[in-house]
Amino acid sequence: MRYNAMIISFIFLIICSGPLMVMGQTIPGDSSHYGSGDIFINPYVDEGNEPGFLQILKWFWERKSPDTDDSTIAVTVSRETPNLTQVFNPNDSLLQVTWIGHSTFLVQLDGVNFLTDPIFSERSSPIKWIGPKRMTPPAIPIDALPPVDFVLISHNHYDHLDLPTVHALGNNSKWFVPLGVKIFLESEGITNVEELDWWSQVTIGRLKIFCTPNQHFSGRTPFDRNECLWASWAIISPNQRVWFAGDTGYNSFQFKEIGGKFGPFDLALIPIGAYDPEWIMRDHHVNPFEAVGVHTDVRSKFSIGMHWGTFTLTDEPIGEPPRLLKEAVRAAALDSASFVTVPQGRTILIR
Ligand code: ZN
Ligand code: ZN
């Protein structure tokens, strides 16, 4: 059992381990998030203070994974049968959002359907039969989705850029990705892809899509750390505004800047899980209290907590993120309905 846990954990270890080796691709231009040696950096993180490989190995050896038996999942992660009639017949004047699981949402806005960080695979892993396994199946199977006009990718970690899902959606959807991810998708046959730097913009139909900053890192092997950029996304229609945070740690600059430029948002999708142990995760994953800070900084009117209840990646109990989110919303004296978790499969309408 311990041996199996070690092997499974090692998959995650190679993804989130410290800077080991960098193989370069040329990064054009000049900006505060461009480091030396063709890698990207976080402007508000002292990368020298990050835990090293041996410390992370020690965590993996000593960690006690949260309880993921079926009864625990059933009481902590609520699920509903999706209303596919609603999903296939959205009211174009309303914003409509359905949580499929993890950071995957189907967002329907101004007659356009898009997915955020879609993962429909059984595991978040480079290997099919090993690695973090889903606790909950996708609320809508990939072959039951309405047409997906475009996909937003926040970064290239396995739980956000899932190759079987990439191939299933293929070139029928337009892919918007942060700098450096396009070459990877092209190597997989995806040519309907556009990559953006922080603060750059594209237009699709009546929507303006802005690549916005966040605080995270990238890598799919021990050898490509931070070669690709990570990002959040703002999607602006003539009537409504959506922001997708991706994975992020907290700082008191970037989200205020996003809120100042593009807020207030009618909907923000903000991570609330993968924060424990704090000494490893704090720079790259917000806890629910910090997530409320992000919600406030970007000037969100309504936020949904994501990145929990689907894969067990870190040590916090499965049901803790939504519980702490309620505490954090109360502590910040916010309206309890302004930042919530929702059942997987439920479609929320936002006027
Ligand atoms: Zn990540
Ligand atoms: Zn993640």
Side-chain angles (χ1 to χ4, degrees):
M1 193 61 197
R2 158 71 64 186
Y3 184 66
N4 282 344
M6 277 297 291
I7 293 172
I8 289 167
S9 298
F10 190 74
I11 300 294
F12 194 55
L13 171 63
I14 62 172
I15 297 164
C16 67
S17 57
L20 300 174
M21 188 188 296
V22 171
M23 296 196 307
Q25 65 190 59
T26 304
I27 299 164
D30 182 28
S31 159
S32 67
H33 52 288
Y34 292 179
S36 58
D38 292 349
I39 60 165
F40 293 97
I41 56 167
N42 285 297
Y44 304 108
V45 170
D46 180 357
E47 312 267 353
N49 282 341
E50 292 204 333
F53 183 84
L54 288 178
Q55 288 169 291
I56 293 171
L57 193 65
K58 183 169 180 286
W59 165 51
F60 272 104
W61 184 252
E62 293 175 347
R63 69 183 291 211
K64 288 189 177 63
S65 291
D67 183 3
T68 56
D69 67 41
D70 288 349
S71 57
T72 305
I73 294 163
V75 296
T76 50
V77 186
S78 57
R79 293 174 55 80
E80 289 181 4
T81 304
N83 181 345
L84 291 181
T85 306
Q86 180 78 51
V87 165
F88 274 85
N89 301 282
N91 181 334
D92 289 350
S93 65
L94 298 179
L95 166 60
Q96 182 168 303
V97 61
T98 309
W99 188 31
I100 291 172
H102 205 52
S103 303
T104 309
F105 288 83
L106 171 65
V107 184
Q108 300 176 279
L109 173 63
D110 202 45
V112 175
N113 299 335
F114 64 92
L115 289 173
T116 58
D117 285 356
I119 177 165
F120 289 81
S121 290
E122 179 74 4
R123 293 182 190 273
S124 162
S125 170
I127 302 164
K128 207 173 173 183
W129 62 88
I130 207 163
K133 193 177 175 193
R134 289 191 94 99
M135 295 180 283
T136 50
I140 303 177
I142 194 164
D143 54 8
L145 288 171
V148 176
D149 297 291
F150 68 87
V151 178
L152 297 175
I153 296 294
S154 66
H155 64 300
N156 73 352
H157 285 158
Y158 289 93
D159 57 322
H160 298 262
L161 182 58
D162 175 54
L163 262 190
T165 302
V166 166
H167 289 300
L169 292 168
N171 286 308
N172 293 328
S173 305
K174 179 94 189 178
W175 295 77
F176 295 112
V177 301
L179 279 186
V181 179
K182 182 177 178 178
I183 192 169
F184 171 76
L185 284 181
E186 284 180 339
S187 73
E188 295 292 330
I190 304 301
T191 51
N192 193 10
V193 51
E194 192 160 343
E195 66 178 15
L196 284 79
D197 198 357
W198 288 354
W199 304 118
S200 59
Q201 178 218 322
V202 291
T203 301
I204 185 162
R206 299 202 307 165
L207 303 187
K208 285 187 168 48
I209 300 164
F210 293 86
C211 181
T212 50
N214 63 2
Q215 182 172 295
H216 200 56
F217 66 109
S218 69
R220 291 174 77 84
T221 75
F223 310 109
D224 65 345
R225 172 126 173 156
N226 292 355
E227 286 185 14
C228 305
L229 190 57
W230 46 94
S232 58
W233 296 91
I235 308 94
I236 315 281
S237 82
N239 302 313
Q240 281 159 316
R241 291 161 180 263
V242 178
W243 183 66
F244 171 61
D247 273 357
T248 189
Y250 183 75
N251 65 69
S252 56
F253 303 98
Q254 290 172 317
F255 307 109
K256 287 184 178 142
E257 193 173 2
I258 293 166
K261 282 188 161 89
F262 304 119
F265 291 98
D266 301 282
L267 169 67
L269 306 169
I270 300 175
I272 59 170
Y275 50 83
D276 188 28
E278 191 228 344
W279 64 273
I280 294 179
M281 301 298 166
R282 66 173 165 238
D283 282 341
H284 302 121
H285 290 280
V286 289
N287 63 37
F289 290 86
E290 293 165 326
V292 167
V294 174
H295 160 92
T296 305
D297 289 357
V298 299
R299 299 195 295 143
S300 173
K301 293 190 250 179
F302 174 65
S303 298
I304 296 175
M306 64 178 184
H307 206 262
W308 74 278
T310 314
F311 295 100
T312 307
L313 302 173
T314 46
D315 293 357
E316 72 271 10
I318 299 166
E320 187 178 89
R323 188 160 45 76
L324 289 188
L325 178 63
K326 280 189 180 156
E327 274 181 37
V329 167
R330 209 168 27 240
L334 296 175
D335 180 342
S336 61
S338 64
F339 192 169
V340 298
T341 55
V342 298
Q344 294 178 356
R346 181 183 296 176
T347 296
I348 310 279
L349 296 173
I350 300 155
R351 291 177 190 281

